[in-house]
Each structure stands twice: as structure tokens, then as C-alpha cells.
Amino acid sequence: MFKGINSIDFSNYFSNYFSNNEICLEYIANIKWSDSNFICKKCGHNNYCKGKKKYNRRCTRCKYDESPTAKTMFERIDFDLVKAFHFLYRLSVKKKGMSSYELANEFTLSQKTCWTFRNKVQFAMKSSENYPLEKFVDVDEFLVGGPEKGKRGRSHGKKKLVIIALERTKSGGFGRSYSRMIERSSTKEFRPFFESHISKNAKIRTDKWTAYTPLIDYYPNLEQIDSDNGLNFRELHIQIMNFKGWLRGIHHHCDEKYMQGYLDEYNFRFNRRNHLDSIFHKLVKRMTLKYRAKDSAVESN
Ligand SMILES: [Zn+2]
């Protein structure tokens, strides 16, 4: 498996390593069938022999010939795997992020192609919700997009409302973070977010907004304190500013229905910022194993 190195040479090393489609295909095949536990996607049989192409596997019962990319998010992309791998590298490792325009230029692809693929990648980056935030967690909402200043509990015009939770360390450091688009600042919408992303034992702080109060029934360590215009939530507000800055840099008009993808992309990278050596591999793994039906056309057989 490719192990990245966190240094200036990384980019060059990466380019040299993934220089042809075959090595990318082999990489995907190793992830897909890593444990040698072959299960035929057609009939569920466990035995296989060599398929038509290198790295393909053919079921010995139904003869279905499966390529490494079949039933993965690499299926049916209309550019080669080397480009796809470099694209994933950019999105996972580059701190500043890139707009679809910049990606299109760099990879000589159309903006629409880049945008569609990025949308897929963002789906792969979505939180598994298996690792809720623990210890000290601050929660607040913020508005993104659109020029109007919104007021809580009221219509916020073109702006989109986002709830965010951030782990903080005792010494003022940052842990992990999650965020989700919501319609309004209500308990009804806060609670599913809490359930997905925050441990019941966490020491949670929110401001004094009343919609947080009923959550104390489920999160006994939730404390409501005066926000003092955000001063009491310093780390959280730095995190919000950083996200907004990042989004402004890569995307000027983000349609509401795609905002969650950008939140997922940001959080995926942020939560792995101290593990840049493995972030690329993790992303390829998700692209390989987190199949969704709409990425694949009906099998022609
Ligand atoms: Zn089969």
C-alpha cells in the first residue's frame, strides 16, 4: 500500500508512484479484495479465477468477470484513473482546497466533469458517524452564503444555516469537528445532529439559545453559557471563520443542496489533518468500498 510522506517531496513522490492506470487499478484491486475474501457480486460465490484483464476476477460458478472498479465509485468515470487519483490527492492533502475551475485547468477536464466527480468524492468523505466527539465539545450555529444578516429563529433569506460542533482540548487546542445544514435553529433539528456526532458523556457547551435547553435531558453534561458575542467560544469561532474563508476561496456561489458536500469535504480533511500520510489511502478506500447504486449503470452483462 502506498504510504505518503508529509513533506515537500510528497507531491513529486506521489506523481512518480501513480504514473499509469495499471498501478491505480492494482491499488484499487488490493483494497477491494484485500482479505482474499472474494464474493461474486452477481451470485455470491467465493471462488474465482483470473479474469479477462489483468486484476479482473472471474467467478468460477456464474463466470461473471469483475473489474476492480466495478461497483465502486471509480466505475463509469469518463477520465483515466491517474487523473482520478491525482484529483483525490488534491482534495485530501491540499490544505487550501481547489475550486472546480482550478481543478478543471489542472487536469484538462471540463468544469462539469470536475464538479460531478467532486460531488462523488464528497459523498465518500461523509462522516461514518461511528466516532462521536468526546470530552469537551462546543456547539453553535452559523450562516453561510448570501449577503443578508440573519436573525435567529427567523427567515435567513438566501443564507444557509449550519450547526457545528468542535472538540476542544483543555489547553485551547482543536480536536475534531462536524457540521450539518439545518433549516432552523430548533431542538427538533439540533437533536439528530447531536445523536450522530456527539457522545452522551461529552462535556458540551452551547450559548443560551432556548432550543438547546431540552437537550439537557439526553446530554446531562450540557452547559449553557453566555456567548459574549462568541468570545466564550473562541476556538469554535476560529473554526467557523476558517471554514468560511476556505469556502470563499474555492466556491463563490454554492447552491444550497450542495453545501453539505462542502461541509463534509472540509471536515474530512480537518479531522485527519494530523494524519496526512494516510488520508489519501483512506479516501481511495472509501471510494472503493462505499458504493452507491447511482454511480453505476444497470449491468449490461
Ligand atoms: Zn458468480
Side-chain angles (χ1 to χ4, degrees), residues 38-47 58-64:
F38 174 80
I39 301 172
C40 172
K41 296 272 190 208
K42 274 270 161 89
C43 75
H45 193 54
N46 296 109
N47 284 326
R58 182 202 284 261
C59 171
T60 52
R61 185 159 74 190
C62 77
K63 314 288 180 219
Y64 174 57

Short mmCIF file of all heavy atoms in Angstrom, two decimals, residues 38-47 58-64, ligand 1:
data_model
loop_
_atom_site.label_atom_id
_atom_site.label_comp_id
_atom_site.label_asym_id
_atom_site.label_seq_id
_atom_site.Cartn_x
_atom_site.Cartn_y
_atom_site.Cartn_z
N PHE A 38 -13.09 -13.16 -1.68
CA PHE A 38 -13.83 -12.83 -2.88
C PHE A 38 -15.29 -13.26 -2.72
O PHE A 38 -15.59 -14.38 -2.33
CB PHE A 38 -13.19 -13.54 -4.08
CG PHE A 38 -13.96 -13.37 -5.36
CD1 PHE A 38 -13.84 -12.21 -6.10
CD2 PHE A 38 -14.83 -14.36 -5.82
CE1 PHE A 38 -14.56 -12.05 -7.28
CE2 PHE A 38 -15.55 -14.20 -6.99
CZ PHE A 38 -15.41 -13.04 -7.72
N ILE A 39 -16.19 -12.33 -3.00
CA ILE A 39 -17.61 -12.68 -3.06
C ILE A 39 -18.13 -12.17 -4.39
O ILE A 39 -18.08 -10.97 -4.66
CB ILE A 39 -18.42 -12.03 -1.91
CG1 ILE A 39 -17.86 -12.48 -0.55
CG2 ILE A 39 -19.90 -12.41 -2.03
CD1 ILE A 39 -18.48 -11.74 0.63
N CYS A 40 -18.59 -13.04 -5.22
CA CYS A 40 -19.09 -12.65 -6.53
C CYS A 40 -20.26 -11.68 -6.37
O CYS A 40 -21.20 -11.96 -5.64
CB CYS A 40 -19.51 -13.88 -7.32
SG CYS A 40 -20.35 -13.45 -8.87
N LYS A 41 -20.17 -10.54 -7.05
CA LYS A 41 -21.22 -9.53 -6.94
C LYS A 41 -22.53 -10.00 -7.57
O LYS A 41 -23.59 -9.47 -7.30
CB LYS A 41 -20.78 -8.22 -7.63
CG LYS A 41 -19.59 -7.56 -6.99
CD LYS A 41 -19.97 -6.61 -5.88
CE LYS A 41 -18.77 -5.81 -5.44
NZ LYS A 41 -18.84 -5.37 -4.05
N LYS A 42 -22.41 -10.99 -8.44
CA LYS A 42 -23.61 -11.48 -9.14
C LYS A 42 -24.31 -12.59 -8.37
O LYS A 42 -25.51 -12.58 -8.21
CB LYS A 42 -23.22 -11.99 -10.54
CG LYS A 42 -23.17 -10.91 -11.59
CD LYS A 42 -24.52 -10.76 -12.28
CE LYS A 42 -24.68 -9.45 -12.98
NZ LYS A 42 -24.22 -9.48 -14.36
N CYS A 43 -23.52 -13.58 -7.92
CA CYS A 43 -24.17 -14.77 -7.36
C CYS A 43 -23.71 -15.12 -5.94
O CYS A 43 -24.20 -16.06 -5.34
CB CYS A 43 -23.96 -15.98 -8.29
SG CYS A 43 -22.30 -16.65 -8.22
N GLY A 44 -22.72 -14.38 -5.42
CA GLY A 44 -22.30 -14.60 -4.04
C GLY A 44 -21.30 -15.74 -3.84
O GLY A 44 -20.90 -16.05 -2.72
N HIS A 45 -20.89 -16.37 -4.93
CA HIS A 45 -19.92 -17.47 -4.85
C HIS A 45 -18.55 -16.96 -4.38
O HIS A 45 -18.20 -15.81 -4.59
CB HIS A 45 -19.78 -18.07 -6.27
CG HIS A 45 -19.09 -19.38 -6.31
ND1 HIS A 45 -19.47 -20.46 -5.55
CD2 HIS A 45 -18.01 -19.81 -7.05
CE1 HIS A 45 -18.66 -21.48 -5.81
NE2 HIS A 45 -17.77 -21.11 -6.71
N ASN A 46 -17.76 -17.84 -3.74
CA ASN A 46 -16.48 -17.41 -3.17
C ASN A 46 -15.24 -17.77 -3.99
O ASN A 46 -14.15 -17.34 -3.66
CB ASN A 46 -16.31 -17.98 -1.76
CG ASN A 46 -17.36 -17.44 -0.82
OD1 ASN A 46 -18.25 -18.15 -0.41
ND2 ASN A 46 -17.27 -16.15 -0.53
N ASN A 47 -15.40 -18.56 -4.99
CA ASN A 47 -14.22 -18.97 -5.76
C ASN A 47 -14.10 -18.19 -7.05
O ASN A 47 -15.09 -17.91 -7.71
CB ASN A 47 -14.27 -20.46 -6.08
CG ASN A 47 -13.92 -21.27 -4.85
OD1 ASN A 47 -13.10 -20.86 -4.03
ND2 ASN A 47 -14.57 -22.41 -4.70
N ARG A 58 -12.75 -13.56 -12.09
CA ARG A 58 -13.92 -14.18 -12.71
C ARG A 58 -14.48 -15.26 -11.78
O ARG A 58 -13.76 -16.12 -11.30
CB ARG A 58 -13.52 -14.81 -14.05
CG ARG A 58 -14.71 -15.43 -14.77
CD ARG A 58 -14.24 -16.46 -15.77
NE ARG A 58 -13.69 -15.83 -16.95
CZ ARG A 58 -14.38 -15.67 -18.09
NH1 ARG A 58 -15.61 -16.09 -18.19
NH2 ARG A 58 -13.81 -15.09 -19.11
N CYS A 59 -15.76 -15.15 -11.53
CA CYS A 59 -16.44 -16.11 -10.67
C CYS A 59 -16.43 -17.48 -11.35
O CYS A 59 -16.76 -17.60 -12.53
CB CYS A 59 -17.88 -15.65 -10.43
SG CYS A 59 -18.90 -16.85 -9.60
N THR A 60 -16.03 -18.52 -10.60
CA THR A 60 -15.94 -19.86 -11.21
C THR A 60 -17.32 -20.50 -11.39
O THR A 60 -17.46 -21.48 -12.10
CB THR A 60 -15.05 -20.82 -10.39
OG1 THR A 60 -15.52 -20.80 -9.04
CG2 THR A 60 -13.61 -20.39 -10.43
N ARG A 61 -18.33 -19.95 -10.74
CA ARG A 61 -19.66 -20.53 -10.89
C ARG A 61 -20.44 -19.86 -12.03
O ARG A 61 -20.83 -20.47 -12.99
CB ARG A 61 -20.46 -20.44 -9.59
CG ARG A 61 -21.80 -21.17 -9.70
CD ARG A 61 -22.38 -21.53 -8.34
NE ARG A 61 -22.89 -20.36 -7.66
CZ ARG A 61 -23.28 -20.36 -6.39
NH1 ARG A 61 -23.20 -21.46 -5.65
NH2 ARG A 61 -23.74 -19.27 -5.83
N CYS A 62 -20.65 -18.53 -11.89
CA CYS A 62 -21.51 -17.87 -12.89
C CYS A 62 -20.70 -17.20 -14.00
O CYS A 62 -21.27 -16.62 -14.92
CB CYS A 62 -22.45 -16.88 -12.22
SG CYS A 62 -21.67 -15.33 -11.73
N LYS A 63 -19.39 -17.24 -13.89
CA LYS A 63 -18.47 -16.69 -14.90
C LYS A 63 -18.49 -15.17 -15.01
O LYS A 63 -18.01 -14.59 -15.98
CB LYS A 63 -18.73 -17.28 -16.32
CG LYS A 63 -18.90 -18.78 -16.37
CD LYS A 63 -17.58 -19.49 -16.13
CE LYS A 63 -17.75 -21.01 -16.19
NZ LYS A 63 -16.95 -21.70 -15.19
N TYR A 64 -19.09 -14.53 -14.04
CA TYR A 64 -19.10 -13.06 -14.06
C TYR A 64 -17.66 -12.55 -13.92
O TYR A 64 -16.94 -12.95 -13.01
CB TYR A 64 -19.97 -12.52 -12.94
CG TYR A 64 -19.94 -11.02 -12.77
CD1 TYR A 64 -20.28 -10.17 -13.83
CD2 TYR A 64 -19.56 -10.44 -11.56
CE1 TYR A 64 -20.24 -8.80 -13.69
CE2 TYR A 64 -19.52 -9.05 -11.41
CZ TYR A 64 -19.86 -8.24 -12.47
OH TYR A 64 -19.82 -6.88 -12.33
ZN ZN B 1 -20.84 -15.54 -9.62
#
